[in-house]
Amino acid sequence: MEPVISYIGVGSNLGDALHNVSAAIAALQHLPHTQLHSHSSVFRSAPIDAIGDDFINTVARVDTTLSAESLLAELQKIELSFGRERPFRNAPRTLDLDLLLYGDVEISTNTLVVPHPRMTVRAFVILPLLELNPDVAIPGYGQASRYVQAISDQVIHVVPKN
């Protein structure tokens, strides 16, 4: 199988969120049959449809020969290793790894929806994604850049590098 370019949203708002995101990026380097290509700047934003502290987010690009379902399972293993709990929808989290895009395919099963269903209305997804690939298209939605205006009211800041 040829590697599939995939994008993963990485976020945290519990504990040392900046450390959690950095450690998650390191963990992505060890995914089987997957190569971490790059990741965007790290951003801070207020929770949307959630509670808790501000989120720290980035988007990673990986090249993988895993199926989308297998990649999701590996991401969920990483989340669990960070103590991820799901007591209720949109609960604060130590780590959230979302499979945003898997090549140019659309997937809709009981366990996985790709493209991620709310990615076009989240600045913390669209802006880092566009930083990685200004020409990226979202299957079924078109160019990601066309959603920038709609998210322009969301406050988001780049976290300075140390």
Side-chain angles (χ1 to χ4, degrees), residues 30-157:
H30 301 288
L31 287 173
H33 310 289
T34 303
Q35 180 179 4
L36 176 66
H37 183 272
S38 55
H39 70 88
S40 71
S41 298
V42 176
F43 293 84
R44 175 182 300 276
S45 62
I48 298 175
D49 299 332
I51 60 170
D53 294 337
D54 284 355
F55 271 90
I56 301 296
N57 292 95
T58 189
V59 170
R61 176 192 158 182
V62 299
D63 300 326
T64 187
T65 56
L66 294 173
S67 68
E69 292 78 10
S70 295
L71 180 55
L72 176 64
E74 292 295 330
L75 296 177
Q76 289 174 339
K77 285 180 193 175
I78 294 171
E79 287 178 337
L80 286 174
S81 75
F82 278 75
R84 170 74 189 262
E85 296 178 356
R86 299 172 192 270
F88 54 90
R89 182 175 162 84
N90 295 328
R93 54 209 76 150
T94 52
L95 184 62
D96 188 26
L97 297 174
D98 289 325
L99 182 53
L100 303 171
L101 298 173
Y102 183 82
D104 60 359
V105 301
E106 295 179 65
I107 302 168
S108 183
T109 68
N110 290 336
T111 57
L112 179 61
V113 177
V114 175
H116 191 279
R118 293 172 304 283
M119 69 182 289
T120 60
V121 296
R122 304 288 198 244
F124 62 83
V125 173
I126 292 295
L127 297 179
L129 184 63
L130 288 170
E131 180 182 305
L132 288 175
N133 182 351
D135 299 318
V136 68
I138 303 170
Y141 293 86
Q143 294 301 117
S145 58
R146 68 187 276 202
Y147 296 95
V148 171
Q149 181 61 35
I151 58 169
S152 63
D153 62 331
Q154 296 175 30
V155 178
I156 183 169
H157 303 284

